[in-house]
Amino acid sequence: MKKFPALFFSFFLILFIIFEQPLVSEAKSCNTYSESEKIEILLKRIGNFNGNFIRNGDSHNAKDAENHLRYKLNEAKNSFFAPDPKDWTAKLFIDKVASKSFLSGTPYKIRYPNGKEILSSSWLYEELKKIETCL
């Protein structure tokens, strides 16, 4: 009878050793995203957001917002005045592309399903923090 708890413990210890290692290495790998990967993750999170984006006073669904920001990013990267495309960072993307209208200067906003609105820059910086801290 006393062998059962020892076998039970040994069995779970072996399972822990086998399955624990991949979980640790996966968690560490999220900190190694390149800046272009972070931008891509942010764009996908925008496209999957359950709410609307407010641009120049008009409401747009998440997919339209993602497509607009992809277009805007592509245009910005090809601008004569922009940094080299390889030098773009997620923070630069947030600050120069995804926070306000280039034409009007009006800040973009995020509208949650409950009607609450916040600046898109605040939301994006929170999402970036999640990406960089493996959340």
Side-chain angles (χ1 to χ4, degrees):
M1 284 281 194
K2 290 187 177 187
K3 284 189 175 188
F4 179 73
L7 287 173
F8 188 74
F9 177 76
S10 297
F11 174 73
F12 282 104
L13 182 62
I14 290 169
L15 284 177
F16 178 76
I17 291 169
I18 291 170
F19 291 109
E20 185 268 341
Q21 185 58 38
L23 293 176
V24 171
S25 63
E26 284 176 18
K28 289 181 181 178
S29 69
C30 74
N31 286 326
T32 61
Y33 289 128
S34 70
E35 290 299 318
S36 62
E37 289 171 324
K38 290 177 191 178
I39 293 169
E40 182 59 30
I41 292 168
L42 286 172
L43 285 164
K44 286 180 181 177
R45 288 190 182 183
I46 291 165
N48 292 322
F49 178 70
N50 184 24
N52 292 324
F53 285 72
I54 311 302
R55 190 175 81 232
N56 292 321
D58 296 327
S59 180
H60 301 272
N61 69 43
K63 271 297 174 201
D64 287 345
E66 176 187 357
N67 291 336
H68 175 72
L69 292 177
R70 283 184 186 282
Y71 169 78
K72 208 174 151 184
L73 176 63
N74 187 49
E75 292 294 311
K77 283 184 174 181
N78 291 318
S79 168
F80 178 74
F81 300 104
D84 189 287
K86 68 177 175 39
D87 295 332
W88 276 77
T89 65
K91 290 179 181 181
L92 185 64
F93 164 72
I94 293 169
D95 292 341
K96 300 298 182 189
V97 174
S99 292
K100 64 183 178 180
S101 169
F102 176 74
L103 296 176
S104 70
T106 305
Y108 294 156
K109 294 181 181 178
I110 304 285
R111 181 181 298 141
Y112 289 91
N114 68 5
K116 177 184 173 188
E117 290 184 6
I118 63 169
L119 294 174
S120 67
S121 58
S122 299
W123 185 83
L124 286 163
Y125 271 111
E126 282 300 313
E127 292 301 308
L128 180 59
K129 189 185 306 181
K130 291 175 188 176
I131 293 165
E132 293 176 338
T133 58
C134 308
L135 299 176

